[in-house]
Amino acid sequence: MLNQISKKTVKTLVFSISIILGSTTLSYATVIPSGTQLAEKQEIVRNNGAEPASLDVDKVEGNIALNIINDFFDTLVGTDKQGQIIPKLAASWETKDNKTWIFHLRKGIKWSDGTPITAHDVVFSWRRLTNPKTLSPYGSYFADASVVNAKEILAGKKQAEELGVKALDDSTLEVRLEKPVGYFLQMLAFNIASPISEKAVEKYGDKWTQPDFFVSSGAFKLAEWKVNEKIVGVRNPYYWDNKDTVINKVTYLPLSSDTSDLNRYLAGEIDITFTIPLGSFASLKKNMNSQVHISPILSTYYYEFNNKKPLFKDIRIRQALDLALDRNIIADKVVAQGQIPAYTILPPGIGGFKFKQPDYISWTQAQRNEKAKQLLNEAGFNKNHPLKFNLVYNSSNLHKKVAIAATSMWKKNLGVIANIQIEEWKVMLENEHQGKFDVVRGGWIGDYNNPIAFFNIFTTNQTNNTSFYSNKDFDNWIRQAGETNKQEDFQQALDIMTKDTPVIPVYYYVTSILVKPYIGGYYADLLGRISTKDLYVIKH
């Protein structure tokens, strides 16, 4: 998942026996401490950082849209705070060989318009996501999950109707995989796998996401959408777990300025911020410590090369820019909110693995700079003939400060001239997919807790591969690692990627936001998701 500001310990689940998990054994109720007095008005306002490009599950990418979709739509399964798989729209499931899965939907579940949610809706949704005509950024998601025929459908060699998903009846879904995938349920817990209403889409087409036609399956439904002003969700009375939902109304603001975000929070107009301004963090931590919430997240901040541009096809240039970037200064001095310097794309401990880091991690920065100069000279660039390119980032004070620091380092250490360009989030995403950039700020939140969640976006022809990186050896190791889930196979892929340097990892994220003291139930998972359904407003 793309991280606009960058998209619990989750265990990799390997099922070797038939599993049936009934919903009756688990409680979904929002836990409210005994003696807590709730406010009469159960409404909250969240800043969401930008205007979402869409609320169509099959056409979105990035946390801006998915933060809202997380509240509006349910997946078949989810994860609890311990990372364990729990039933959501599906009450139970079973498999005997890890390749054929049967899901049983909850009895009586309904869309927000009161019509039944069926297995046919799931089939329709997953076919639509995979169909290349949909042009979904996540079109390859079920190909990555090894669903039968997904790759061929994406390549235009088979029809969407041939996808390995089938409704055995209104409440029973069969999913066939080409091979065992140990983290398949984890993939289904990601919001992009949420089904949408076939009837709504067929009747209204692309207009189905407008408030008058919007149909959701989650705790909230769309009530209002004023572009660049606000999106309002109200409680969905048909939600299967509505009895355990407390919040009646949630408003999402599209404020991209972290200063505006903070000012409106301090003025009492926002209950949960999107981020914390870098310059204000220290004082807020000192004076409002209980309202500052910092959480680890499976996410990496990086700079992405356009690997199909002639300039950046030269590996020496990519390696030189990577070496000359002082991550310690950026993590500890520029952002300074607990971020960790990153030398590979994989966040620490992902999937429970500990990977070998690049050799140059033990070098001094002076040694890295010297090697970088040598590489650039070999590529034909020096003080008399400086390397020049454009660096693009989406509007944010944080991104601006990091970009200024990075370009200053490249200028000082290598004589490189990197021109900074700013673009709005939606514009930047479009230009990325069209290859209209030299180097662009990137960020990725793992869709599930496994290295594949990061590696897949760098495989050849993957729909989220906006760096346009392609290496057959890398692809083969990823394919093998996806089957074996072995550390040594992942390490082989990581070593190739580290050498090729299609991106420059900068730091690993934490979520750092402000939450009003009267907001109860706050929790951010490793994907950075905050479910409004878990929240409640305390009397104040």
Side-chain angles (χ1 to χ4, degrees):
M1 170 172 50
L2 281 169
N3 192 334
Q4 194 269 355
I5 61 168
S6 17
K7 39 142 167 177
K8 146 190 94 173
T9 299
V10 183
K11 296 180 180 178
T12 301
L13 302 178
V14 181
F15 289 79
S16 58
I17 59 173
S18 177
I19 294 174
I20 300 178
L21 179 57
S23 60
T24 56
T25 61
L26 295 169
S27 173
Y28 293 86
T30 300
V31 179
I32 302 175
S34 177
T36 301
Q37 285 188 294
L38 295 180
E40 289 186 15
K41 190 176 183 180
Q42 289 295 318
E43 299 180 3
I44 64 171
V45 179
R46 299 172 52 172
N47 182 30
N48 198 46
E51 179 71 19
S54 173
L55 289 181
D56 186 329
V57 176
D58 295 337
K59 296 185 178 182
V60 301
E61 60 183 322
N63 56 340
I64 295 301
L66 290 170
N67 286 343
I68 302 173
I69 284 172
N70 184 58
D71 282 343
F72 286 177
F73 293 92
D74 258 3
T75 43
L76 296 184
V77 301
T79 53
D80 63 16
K81 292 182 180 181
Q82 287 71 47
Q84 301 294 331
I85 290 292
I86 56 175
K88 295 188 90 173
L89 292 181
S92 62
W93 51 88
E94 67 256 13
T95 181
K96 293 181 179 179
D97 58 4
N98 298 332
K99 291 177 64 177
T100 299
W101 293 78
I102 304 296
F103 294 87
H104 305 279
L105 301 190
R106 291 178 179 276
K107 294 182 179 180
I109 54 174
K110 296 179 180 180
W111 296 105
S112 58
D113 63 357
T115 59
I117 299 174
T118 71
H120 303 284
D121 289 310
V122 183
V123 172
F124 166 79
S125 304
W126 292 4
R127 285 175 176 175
R128 184 172 179 260
L129 180 74
T130 310
N131 191 331
K133 293 180 181 179
T134 304
L135 300 176
S136 172
Y138 272 99
S140 58
Y141 196 71
F142 288 115
D144 296 338
S146 297
V147 175
V148 167
N149 293 331
K151 292 180 181 178
E152 290 78 7
I153 294 167
L154 196 63
K157 297 178 181 179
K158 290 190 176 182
Q159 298 299 309
E161 290 72 23
E162 297 177 82
L163 186 67
V165 292
K166 180 181 180 181
L168 301 182
D169 54 46
D170 284 351
S171 60
T172 311
L173 179 76
E174 177 190 77
V175 184
R176 292 180 295 118
L177 307 183
E178 295 174 346
K179 60 184 180 183
V181 177
Y183 47 87
F184 181 61
L185 290 181
Q186 294 288 347
M187 293 191 73
L188 293 191
F190 182 49
N191 305 100
I192 210 70
S194 301
I196 57 178
S197 168
E198 179 178 8
K199 290 181 179 178
V201 176
E202 293 295 337
K203 184 174 182 178
Y204 300 110
D206 289 340
K207 294 181 178 180
W208 80 269
T209 56
Q210 296 179 7
D212 289 343
F213 313 128
F214 194 84
V215 177
S216 62
S217 62
F220 300 90
K221 62 179 182 179
L222 181 63
E224 188 177 2
W225 187 353
K226 292 185 177 180
V227 176
N228 292 322
E229 183 180 335
K230 64 180 178 179
I231 289 176
V232 178
V234 296
R235 197 143 147 191
N236 172 14
Y238 292 105
Y239 180 50
W240 64 268
D241 198 30
N242 182 52
K243 69 181 188 310
D244 291 323
T245 305
V246 180
I247 298 296
N248 293 318
K249 179 181 177 181
V250 53
T251 300
Y252 312 87
L253 303 182
L255 302 177
S256 60
S257 166
D258 51 16
T259 301
S260 297
D261 191 7
L262 175 60
N263 289 340
R264 294 185 66 170
Y265 178 86
L266 295 176
E269 299 173 10
I270 292 175
D271 301 309
I272 303 175
T273 67
F274 187 68
T275 185
I276 296 177
L278 298 182
S280 305
F281 181 81
S283 62
L284 290 170
K285 192 81 171 63
K286 179 180 179 181
N287 300 315
M288 300 170 60
N289 184 55
S290 64
Q291 297 179 53
V292 175
H293 291 258
I294 302 172
S295 308
I297 183 173
L298 287 177
S299 185
T300 307
Y301 190 112
Y302 53 86
Y303 283 126
E304 183 173 86
F305 293 110
N306 186 338
N307 286 266
K308 71 179 182 181
K309 284 208 167 186
L311 181 66
F312 295 113
K313 285 183 178 180
D314 192 326
I315 190 173
R316 295 169 298 186
I317 293 175
R318 303 195 303 269
Q319 290 176 338
L321 292 172
D322 176 69
L323 286 168
L325 192 71
D326 192 330
R327 279 91 158 168
N328 288 317
I329 289 178
I330 291 177
D332 299 336
K333 304 296 184 182
V334 179
V335 289
Q337 296 179 346
Q339 292 83 352
I340 303 170
Y343 296 91
T344 76
I345 197 68
L346 298 180
I350 187 167
F353 300 112
K354 184 177 181 180
F355 294 107
K356 177 177 176 267
Q357 296 295 296
D359 292 338
Y360 68 80
I361 197 172
S362 63
W363 301 359
T364 66
Q365 190 58 47
Q367 290 173 318
R368 295 173 194 162
N369 293 342
E370 193 59 35
K371 179 63 175 178
K373 289 177 185 177
Q374 177 189 330
L375 289 167
L376 266 194
N377 281 329
E378 292 174 1
F381 295 98
N382 49 50
K383 288 184 178 180
N384 296 324
H385 182 223
L387 174 67
K388 298 179 181 179
F389 61 88
N390 294 323
L391 173 66
V392 179
Y393 67 89
N394 55 297
S395 54
S396 159
N397 287 336
L398 180 147
H399 300 325
K400 179 180 180 180
K401 290 182 178 181
V402 175
I404 290 173
T407 53
S408 297
M409 291 171 186
W410 289 327
K411 174 71 173 177
K412 178 183 177 182
N413 299 334
L414 301 176
V416 168
I417 300 173
N419 299 308
I420 297 175
Q421 296 181 345
I422 183 172
E423 293 178 348
E424 290 303 315
W425 174 243
K426 290 189 289 185
V427 174
M428 191 182 82
L429 288 182
E430 183 177 349
N431 287 338
E432 273 188 273
H433 284 282
Q434 294 179 5
K436 296 180 179 178
F437 68 94
D438 294 335
V439 180
V440 64
R441 185 216 67 91
W444 191 256
I445 303 174
D447 301 332
Y448 42 94
N449 190 17
N450 188 278
I452 290 290
F454 283 80
F455 279 143
N456 266 339
I457 66 170
F458 297 101
T459 55
T460 303
N461 296 326
Q462 212 268 3
T463 51
N464 275 308
N465 186 354
T466 51
S467 66
F468 306 104
Y469 172 61
S470 179
N471 183 310
K472 289 184 179 179
D473 289 337
F474 175 81
D475 293 345
N476 289 335
W477 280 112
I478 294 305
R479 190 176 301 111
Q480 181 168 317
E483 295 179 15
T484 65
N485 201 44
K486 290 183 177 179
Q487 178 165 332
E488 53 264 38
D489 294 337
F490 286 126
Q491 186 69 62
Q492 291 284 352
L494 184 60
D495 291 345
I496 292 171
M497 187 174 177
T498 298
K499 178 183 177 182
D500 286 353
T501 321
V503 301
I504 301 176
V506 181
Y507 61 78
Y508 302 118
Y509 273 96
V510 294
T511 57
S512 179
I513 66 173
L514 292 167
V515 181
K516 290 292 186 182
Y518 51 78
I519 298 297
Y522 170 79
Y523 166 75
D525 67 14
L526 275 179
L527 303 190
R529 297 177 297 193
I530 304 166
S531 297
T532 303
K533 182 188 179 298
D534 295 337
L535 307 177
Y536 53 90
V537 182
I538 302 168
K539 187 176 181 180
H540 60 283

